[in-house]
Every structure is written in C-alpha cells, then in structure tokens.
Amino acid sequence: MAAAAPAAVANGEVRGGGVPRPTNPMVTPLLTDLYQFSMAYAYWKAGKHLDHAVFDLYFRKNPFAGEFTIFGGLEECIRFIANFKFKEEEISFLRAALPTCEDGFFEYLSSIDCSEVEVYAIPEGSAVFPKVPLMIIQGPVAVVQLLETPFLTLVNYASLVTTNAARHRLVAGKQKNLLEFGLRRAQGPDGGISASRYSYMGGFDATSNVAAGRLFGIPIRGTHSHAFVSSFLGLDEIIDKALSSSDGTNRCEDFVSLVQNWLSRIQDASSLRGTFGETNQSELAAFTSYALAFPNSFLALVDTYDVMRSGVPNFCAVALALNDMGYKAGGIRLDSGDLAYLSIETRKFFYAIEKEFGVVGFGLTNITASNDLNEETIDALNKQGHEVDSFGIGTYLVTCYAQAALGCVFKLVEINKQPRIKLSEDVTKVSIPCKKRCYRLYGKEGYPLVDIMTGQDEPSPKVGERILCRHPFIESKRAHVVPQHVEELLKCYWPGNSSTQREDLTSINENRSRCMRDLDRMRPDHLRKLNPTPYKVSVSTQLYDFIHFLWLNEAPVGELQ
Amino acid sequence: MAAAAPAAVANGEVRGGGVPRPTNPMVTPLLTDLYQFSMAYAYWKAGKHLDHAVFDLYFRKNPFAGEFTIFGGLEECIRFIANFKFKEEEISFLRAALPTCEDGFFEYLSSIDCSEVEVYAIPEGSAVFPKVPLMIIQGPVAVVQLLETPFLTLVNYASLVTTNAARHRLVAGKQKNLLEFGLRRAQGPDGGISASRYSYMGGFDATSNVAAGRLFGIPIRGTHSHAFVSSFLGLDEIIDKALSSSDGTNRCEDFVSLVQNWLSRIQDASSLRGTFGETNQSELAAFTSYALAFPNSFLALVDTYDVMRSGVPNFCAVALALNDMGYKAGGIRLDSGDLAYLSIETRKFFYAIEKEFGVVGFGLTNITASNDLNEETIDALNKQGHEVDSFGIGTYLVTCYAQAALGCVFKLVEINKQPRIKLSEDVTKVSIPCKKRCYRLYGKEGYPLVDIMTGQDEPSPKVGERILCRHPFIESKRAHVVPQHVEELLKCYWPGNSSTQREDLTSINENRSRCMRDLDRMRPDHLRKLNPTPYKVSVSTQLYDFIHFLWLNEAPVGELQ
C-alpha cells in the first residue's frame, strides 16, 4: 500500500497506532483558524468543552458545473488526527497569541489528543454528492472544533482536483494517455504535490513531478524543454558520436552522420518533397544528442522553431537512424499552435515515412500535446478531429482554473444528543440536523438511483422494500424507490475509544480504481458535460419532518411593518 | 527580521552560509519535473553540463486584467538554492527512475550544489511588469536547469496572491481593515500558509491562520463561528455568571441577568420599538458566554438565526452589559445576506443605542463583513454605500479565483556567451535573448515612466540624458525619455563563487512597505480597475536590433505552395 508508507519527509515519533504523520510536515494542530482556539477557550471557560458534538463535513454544490464530485483527502485527515498533539512550543505561541486566557486552558490544550474523537467517512475516491456528509466527526466539542479548518483544508482541494482530473479522463476517453504536468503553475509546492497525487487518483496515468512520484509511487514521465533545444548551437558540438545497437551486436561510430544521411533521404523522398526546406541545425543537434543519451525512449519537443518545417523532419531523421540501430523512438510533443491541425499533419508525415522507407508501425508513433490544455480544449479537439495519443495537462488541471475552490463546510448537527440546525436566508445553506446514516440505493439496471439520509436510529433501507425518498427542503419533491442493492456510505475510519471496528485506509491505486468504478456505474446523463442531470439526494420522511419542526422552532417570526 | 528566522518546521543541518531551509520541508531538489533530470543527463552525456547558461524568469501578461504585478517568492528561492544538495536516498530514487543512465551521472548529481550559480532579482514586494526578468539565473546549464521548476513553483503563486491582495487593498482603500480568512478553502496546506504570508505582503492587516502567524510574525485575528452559536441551547447552560469589571474595582455576580436586563431595555426603547421581537435565546447564551471568556475583545457573529431580529439586538444587549463593567465591545461580523443593507441597518441600530442610552462612541462599533467577498463585491459595496469597517476575505483571495495561475516562464537567453532566442507563432511568446540589465526610468512628476532592458555591456541610462525606448517587437512603437531618476532593477541575491556583493533579503514587513510604496508611486491610471493603461516596457535600440537579427537568423523560411 504505497500511500500508507511513511512520508519521506516525515520524521520523529509516530503516534496514533502506527498511522504515519501527515505527508506535509506543515500540517500541525496550529494549521487552523485562530477562532477555533478562541471558541475552545470559551467552551472551556463555560465548562462546555466536553459536550459531545457531532459535525458533518459536506459541500453544497458540485464543482465545474457538473453533477458529481470525487472525494479526496481522507487519508491525510486520518494521519492528522492520529498524530494530533500540541508541542510545548506551540502552546507557548498560543499563550502569547491569547494573552487573556487562563493557564488552565493551556494545560487542557496540552493534554488533548483525538482519542475521544470518532470519524466516519465515505471511502476515498468515491463519487459523492451535495449535502450528504463526506465525513461525520464526533467527540468533545472543543477538540472536534479544532479539527474544522485542517479537515476542510485537507479535503477541499483534494476533492476538487480529483474531480477535475476525473472530468478530464471522461472527456479524453479511456484510451488516451493523460499526463499531469502542472507543478510549476500550482498554488505553491504542495499545491503541486497534492495535484499530482489526486490527479492520479482521479484517473491520470502519470505525473512529471518527481517528488510526488517518490512520495506516492505514481509513474513519472518527462523528456526535455525548449531550453534544451536552444542550448545547442550546431552538430559540431556533439563529440561522442558512437551508439551501440539495441541488441549490442553492432556499433555505429558516427550516429550524427547517420542522422544527417536520413535527413537527406527524407528531404529527397518524393512523397515528402517540398514540405520543408533546411531544418534548424541546432534543433537537429539537440535531438541527436538527446537520442544518444536516451536511445530507448527518444521523445522530442518539436515546436522550438517550426513544427512541420523543422521539428518533425528533424525528429524523423533521428528516429529513423535509431530504427537502424534497433531502437523505437518514443514520439513527439507539440507545445504550441493548432494542435488538431499539427497532430494530423504530423500523423500524415509519419505514415508517409512508414510507406516511403518501409518502417512498419512508424505511422503510429506517439504524439503528445501539451499547450494550456483543459476539459474544453480536449472536447473541442475531439469534435474537430485530431491525432493526439497523450495529453500533458498542467495549469488548468492543477489550479482548477475553471473553479478554483470547492466549498466544503463543517457544520454542527448535534450537541449532547440535541439536534442543531443552522438557518440561512438562502435555503441551500440551511444545514441538515441530527447525526445521520447515509445510504446509496441502486436500481434494477445497476445504476445508483438516489442517496438517502436517515436519522441515526431509523431502520436501514432494505433491498426489495419500498421507501419514500424526500427532498430535504421541498415538500413536493419525493419519490418511491424499491432498491435492488443498498450500500451504507460512511464507514468508521477512526473509532477513538469506541469499540466500533476500524476500516483500513485504502491505497492510492485502490482509490483510483474506486473512482473509475463509481463513474462507470453512474447513469451517463449524470456525467455528461452539457446540462447533466442532477443525481438525487434525499432524506427519510422521519428526518424530513424533524428538519422542518426544528426549522420552525429556531427561526424568529418576522414582523411586517 | 521575522521572515529570516529559521522556519519552525525546518530541521537538521543548515547549509548555504546560514540561510535557512525553505519554509516548507517538502521543497527539496526532487520537487521538480522529471525532464529536468533527463535533460541534465543528456547535457552530461554530451559533455555540455558545465556550459555557462543564463536564464530569465519572467511573465508575459499581468494577472486579473490589470496592468501591474507584485513580485513574491524570492526569499524562498534563495533558501532553496542555499540548501540545494541531493540526499543519498534521493539519488537512489533517481537511479531507479532513470535506469538507463550511467553511474557517472549520479555521481555528478551527488556532487552538485548551487555554489556556481548566480541569482539576480528585483527586490521582493516590488511592482513588476511583463517581459522584464524578475530573476536572472546563471551558472552551469545542468544545475540551473534543475532550478527551473522549483523557482517557478515558488514564484508563480507567491506573486499571483500578493498581486491579488494588493488589488483588494486598492479597491478597499487604505482606511479599511483587511483580514485574510482563506485557509480552509486554499489549495492545500501550504496554499493556505503561503496565501496568508503573501496576502500580508500585498497589504492585508492580519490573517486567521495561526501557523502562518507563527511562521512569519503576521498579526492573527478571529472570533467564533456559527457552530459556537448553535452549540448553546439556552442561558441556563451558563453556570459561572460572574464578571469582574475592567479596572478590577467591582464584580457583577450575575452577568447573565445584566444582559437580560439590557435586552429588555433595548426592546422597550422607543427608537427601536418594533424592529425586533423575541431574539434567539441560544444565540444570546452563546454571546454572553463568549463575552464572559473575552470581555476585552467581544466580537459576535450575528447571522446564525437572523441579523436584525436576533443577532444585532443580542449583541447590543451583551455589549451594553460589558460597557457597564468598563469593557468596550469589539464589534459584529456579518457573514450572509445583503452586506450593504445589513451594515447600514446595523449602523443605524448602533447609533440609536448610542443616543437612547448615552453610550458615547457606540455608533462607531466595528462592523466586519465576510461572505464570499472579492475585489468585485467590495467595489460594488463601495458604489452602493455601506458601513463595513473590516473585510474578511477568503476563497477569492487565496485561490485567486478570478485567475488561478500566473504564467511565469524560465527561458534560456544565453549559453557560453551566445545569445539564444525561443521563437513562436505567437509573437508575445518570443523570448528576449541575451543577458540583460534592466532599469526603471522616472519622470519629472516622480512617476515611473518606463522599464528598459539593455544588453549587459551597454552603458546604463543617465539622469537628464535622452534615451530611445523601443517596444521589443513592434518597430513603430518607441519613445524618447529623459529620466529624472534611474533605478537599476535587479540586484545580486546569490553571488555563487563570484565576487559580486550579496544583497540582503528584506523582511516581510519591508517587502510589504515596498509594495505599498511602489503602488503609491505609480500613475493612477495604471492601477485603475477598468481599462487600466499599460505601463511601458522597452528595450534599447542596440538590443532591439540584435533581437531582430537573431530572429531572422533562426526562423526557417516558409515555402508557400
């Protein structure tokens, strides 16, 4: 299980029954909002700090104008609470920050950990929907309150970028190779590291990010940049020109001449005549040099000077020379211009080479595209037609440019067994009170039909038994469902001191498979890009009635004047 | 100098002449793209790895449809190179990732550090403009290439969020209190920590983020959440009801009754009669309890149930009770609804209280607003009129929602004294070759007029001497300037083994002042929100001529068919 291996940067004592520390050592109990501490003090001062509170962590709206979200960040939350303990110097800092608080409070803070907290969660990588809690966190109110900000920080971006990656996978299709190239444009170092991890979880194949590859066991990919190409001035820079053949049986003493020879043959080929003139010689030198370093995986960036007049012919010359020596070139990368047109022209060129020189399979040489790609541009390329095999996606993926934040919230739903509600002028912001159980109900075709929340002590929905599923706020919206399969959504990932059995965290590869499986299972109209159908989220009749009783009870009566 | 203190999470050996390690321990030489290593290997294999390269780090377009950017991230870059060294386990990982590379390469990697690298940069917090290098990095090509991704990762988001913060300050005006509340919605943990740091640098007054406050010495602020309010069921929960007066001379044994008494008086006050009925009693209990914990800084979130019918009257009752005991309430926070309307109504209510009960200054009680605010909503509030004193800004600030990435690039401009250019179909993407010097020229009114880049060995522009400033790509765009003041923009922050004097890094507060000063100095039309005037960026005639000579030289000649 790659993801559960101790983080390479973590160190020191490991708490919490062997659960490693958070991947980023900056994730400490101080990574929270000051008001969590002022509230903790007010609770403590009022003698309420041990009150038993239940909080729901959920979001209100799917991102990217879509109708699904993929849940990410659970493992980091569990690592966080498993190792939750204030250090002495952290307490000192808090003392200075809250100078009017009594000493007893800091003694209390020094003493706490998360052994009295319980965390229930939907498995990481699952498809999830608005209002249904991704996590239920319960325990002493002062402690659970301190978890609010770190949990939201760990879940919001993780879920957002996993969802973004999954959307890119859906639009690209299962056959394409998807590479995450976003580190340099990410929102800070672990924006980059998290993006690589969660993009992989959401269905990408690899990342360019070496640190993420090492931390999470994600495949890493990469070749060279424009700077490499322009760092060469000409072929005379290449001193060591020898290359042994792939099988070691022969050796070409002057690979440079072999490349030049191939370039002339391409230039002279009748089917290619006139498509290009003199190619850029510093580019040819860079490609040749790169091929000498990586004869097994020669992949060239072809747009430093001109794709069709220089980059592609230069690539082919080197690739054919490599072919003579028993090596198969990896392909090209396009990083500017009209990717549909250039990929199609390049593919034609490759097929012309295959035909002209009888190099079987050359026409299928891999074409990677990587210039400011996103869901929309891939969709447009698909509609227009293209010959791209692999997409390298950076900025728009990792910064979630189309919607840079997910709005998960952390709301009190019960205290000392008393259900609590948070009202709002905006009905969508009213919280659903009570500690709840949540189920996904599947229909005859195998599709999930609806998620339903019930009170904690209600009987669970049964296969084959009709159940009324109600919209939590709109009385007229309700439907009978006879489930063919019932899945309880939340499992106990941190039982605290309770005797509930603890669910093991799953590896990044298992989470990735879960994501793919959940999306495969969804009815396609929930997933489509344009006007997707909302997936239904409901409550039981008993919970519905209770919400509305509490709402009336708490809302002040208006006075029209 | 707060920012130069060793990061609280850093540890182990400190290299680089006492420069602390990067703030985030995850920033290591492996935090880079794989292709930096494959290029390094190809350079090494070709014997080119020691070639002397010069790279420019710059951006092409100001973010947020604006005409300025604030440079952030320099200190972290210097910390990174000062401590740049591969660990043995990192080399082992690279060996496994690049199995075809020769052993000698890994021995070379093990041996390198940044002692042969030189870094020139514009001071952090400065106003900067497209195409002018923020940093010039020179040294052995293989080493400098390895710095590309981490430098971009450290600069892109830092500069973006600093600029975003500065834009919020410009629209809010100098008198308002700006609080950064974004940690929970940030793109991961150090997205949050960096956001807090660079928002402060860009002109915010404080953050809610405790870890950032500790790391960077930024003021921290915060009160309580909706959950605190709804965690109370009623006033009978408050056991310890006593409160000593501010000066310690007397003690109120039943502060709860004092509050209830004030609430009745407000309800009965002729000027307020009929504006509200029964207030929510759990809210009143929460406010009272919070006031007992923080009598010196009672600030209440008033929108859990209903702002004008419950939150504000409850706040006033508690504030007036505190006033009896010699304490001044801190104010209220609005977190939903029509902030313009609610702030104005609240202000009227406060003035009515001041008048009714003769509490001098009560009308001016602080009003904080914090619901999904951004540059646009503050601008709209300003136009509409409002009574907000402090803005708490989260999501839109820290995720830079309006534009989630800045596109800084890292381009080779010279190798072994040979200038290099990167061409593109898109003229704005053509790089400006040569190692350069960059100046800001100021006019008679004290405004900066233009930035100009010259070749390294050209004489610098002189005060009072006319100089021709040319657009780098468009021949007809040029202007004569007689500068009244000339400022060389880049200073040497990392001299490597050279004898150049090393510029000290400046503290976060100095950087913040530099940002404010630079923006104060700009001609206002460059800063305005709507259709700002672009600030001019130019090259000398000599550099202009050279760019176009090289461009013609490298571009392949087309063949129209």
Side-chain angles (χ1 to χ4, degrees), chain B residues 82-123:
Chain B
N83 295 283
F84 186 97
K85 188 80 191 162
F86 288 96
K87 292 184 183 155
E88 229 170 87
E89 64 268 28
E90 293 172 330
I91 296 287
S92 308
F93 179 77
L94 289 170
R95 264 183 210 274
L98 296 165
T100 63
C101 297
E102 294 169 25
D103 281 350
F105 171 63
F106 298 105
E107 283 157 29
Y108 165 67
L109 277 189
S110 302
S111 75
I112 58 176
D113 58 24
C114 287
S115 58
E116 288 171 54
V117 174
E118 293 167 52
V119 177
Y120 300 82
I122 297 179

Side-chain angles (χ1 to χ4, degrees), chain B residues 367-536:
Chain B
I367 300 175
T368 300
S370 64
N371 182 34
D372 277 352
L373 293 171
N374 61 26
E375 220 188 312
E376 305 307 320
T377 49
I378 295 173
D379 192 44
L381 283 172
N382 287 345
K383 283 170 182 154
Q384 200 183 341
H386 65 85
E387 287 289 340
V388 175
D389 304 296
S390 304
F391 292 104
I393 309 180
T395 311
Y396 292 93
L397 173 68
V398 306
T399 66
C400 300
Y401 207 91
Q403 180 182 326
L406 180 66
C408 280
V409 295
F410 192 91
K411 293 290 171 193
L412 181 71
V413 295
E414 195 179 289
I415 191 150
N416 290 342
K417 305 267 177 202
Q418 296 293 315
R420 304 305 288 155
I421 192 167
K422 193 248 156 199
L423 302 183
S424 174
E425 300 278 320
D426 181 354
V427 170
T428 63
K429 286 193 165 186
V430 172
S431 65
I432 298 180
C434 305
K435 179 160 189 206
K436 296 175 280 287
R437 285 184 182 275
C438 306
Y439 305 90
R440 186 157 296 170
L441 309 185
Y442 291 79
K444 273 185 276 193
E445 326 256 317
Y447 294 127
L449 297 176
V450 64
D451 284 6
I452 185 167
M453 295 175 261
T454 72
Q456 175 73 0
D457 301 324
E458 290 185 56
S460 62
K462 303 266 178 314
V463 169
E465 278 183 20
R466 201 169 77 148
I467 181 167
L468 185 62
C469 298
R470 307 196 55 165
H471 187 288
F473 305 127
I474 303 171
E475 197 167 6
S476 61
K477 287 196 176 182
R478 61 232 153 114
H480 280 117
V481 174
V482 182
Q484 300 305 302
H485 173 59
V486 174
E487 183 183 9
E488 180 154 12
L489 288 172
L490 286 93
K491 299 169 197 287
C492 181
Y493 284 95
W494 187 256
N497 287 338
S498 80
S499 58
T500 317
Q501 205 192 323
R502 175 166 160 193
E503 191 76 20
D504 282 338
L505 289 167
T506 45
S507 73
I508 189 169
N509 280 306
E510 289 169 283
N511 299 345
R512 186 173 188 271
S513 303
R514 185 177 294 119
C515 168
M516 302 294 101
R517 186 207 62 193
D518 272 15
L519 293 179
D520 275 345
R521 265 191 203 163
M522 295 292 294
R523 223 172 55 207
D525 58 310
H526 296 307
L527 304 180
R528 72 180 169 222
K529 260 186 75 58
L530 197 66
N531 297 327
T533 313
Y535 176 79
K536 286 191 179 54

Side-chain angles (χ1 to χ4, degrees), chain A residues 30 32-35 38 48 148 156 184 187 190 208 210-211 223 230-231 237 274 399 401 403-404 420 561, chain B residues 30 32-35 38 48 148 156 184 187 190 208 210-211 223 230-231 237 274 399 401 403-404 420 561:
Chain A
L30 286 199
T32 194
D33 292 306
L34 182 64
Y35 79 0
S38 33
K48 263 179 79 71
E148 174 178 20
N156 265 324
R184 64 187 59 195
Q187 295 200 350
D190 81 2
S208 63
V210 180
T223 54
S230 51
S231 77
E237 273 186 275
T399 66
Y401 207 90
Q403 181 182 326
R420 304 306 288 155
Q561 287 169 32
Chain B
L30 286 199
T32 194
D33 291 306
L34 181 65
Y35 79 0
S38 33
K48 265 177 78 71
E148 175 178 20
N156 265 324
R184 64 186 60 195
Q187 295 201 349
D190 81 1
S208 63
V210 180
T223 53
S230 50
S231 78
E237 273 186 273
T399 66
Y401 207 91
Q403 180 182 326
R420 304 305 288 155
Q561 288 168 33

Side-chain angles (χ1 to χ4, degrees), chain A residues 328-383:
Chain A
K328 192 172 172 309
I332 61 145
R333 178 160 71 95
L334 297 167
D335 192 40
S336 59
D338 180 337
L339 300 173
Y341 170 80
L342 290 172
S343 67
I344 289 168
E345 289 302 303
T346 301
R347 181 72 67 212
K348 282 188 207 158
F349 202 99
F350 287 168
Y351 273 115
I353 295 275
E354 170 164 350
K355 202 170 161 197
E356 187 77 32
F357 304 111
V359 184
V360 178
F362 199 92
L364 292 172
T365 299
N366 192 287
I367 299 175
T368 300
S370 64
N371 182 34
D372 277 353
L373 293 171
N374 60 27
E375 221 188 312
E376 305 307 321
T377 50
I378 295 173
D379 192 44
L381 284 171
N382 287 346
K383 283 172 182 154

Side-chain angles (χ1 to χ4, degrees), chain B residues 233-235 260 263 278-286 310 314:
Chain B
L233 302 172
L235 286 163
Q260 284 176 306
L263 187 60
E278 285 299 310
T279 63
N280 188 296
Q281 292 300 289
S282 43
E283 181 179 65
L284 187 65
S310 185
N314 278 339

Side-chain angles (χ1 to χ4, degrees), chain B residues 322-361:
Chain B
L322 282 173
N323 181 63
D324 283 351
M325 305 300 294
Y327 298 100
K328 193 171 172 307
I332 62 146
R333 179 159 72 93
L334 297 167
D335 192 40
S336 60
D338 179 338
L339 300 174
Y341 170 80
L342 290 172
S343 67
I344 289 167
E345 289 302 302
T346 301
R347 182 70 68 213
K348 282 188 207 160
F349 201 100
F350 287 168
Y351 273 116
I353 296 275
E354 171 164 349
K355 200 169 162 201
E356 187 77 33
F357 304 110
V359 184
V360 179

Side-chain angles (χ1 to χ4, degrees), chain B residues 55-71:
Chain B
F55 285 80
D56 282 359
L57 188 156
Y58 63 98
F59 60 92
R60 298 178 181 126
K61 200 173 176 324
N62 290 300
F64 310 120
E67 291 297 346
F68 72 93
T69 299
I70 306 295
F71 174 39

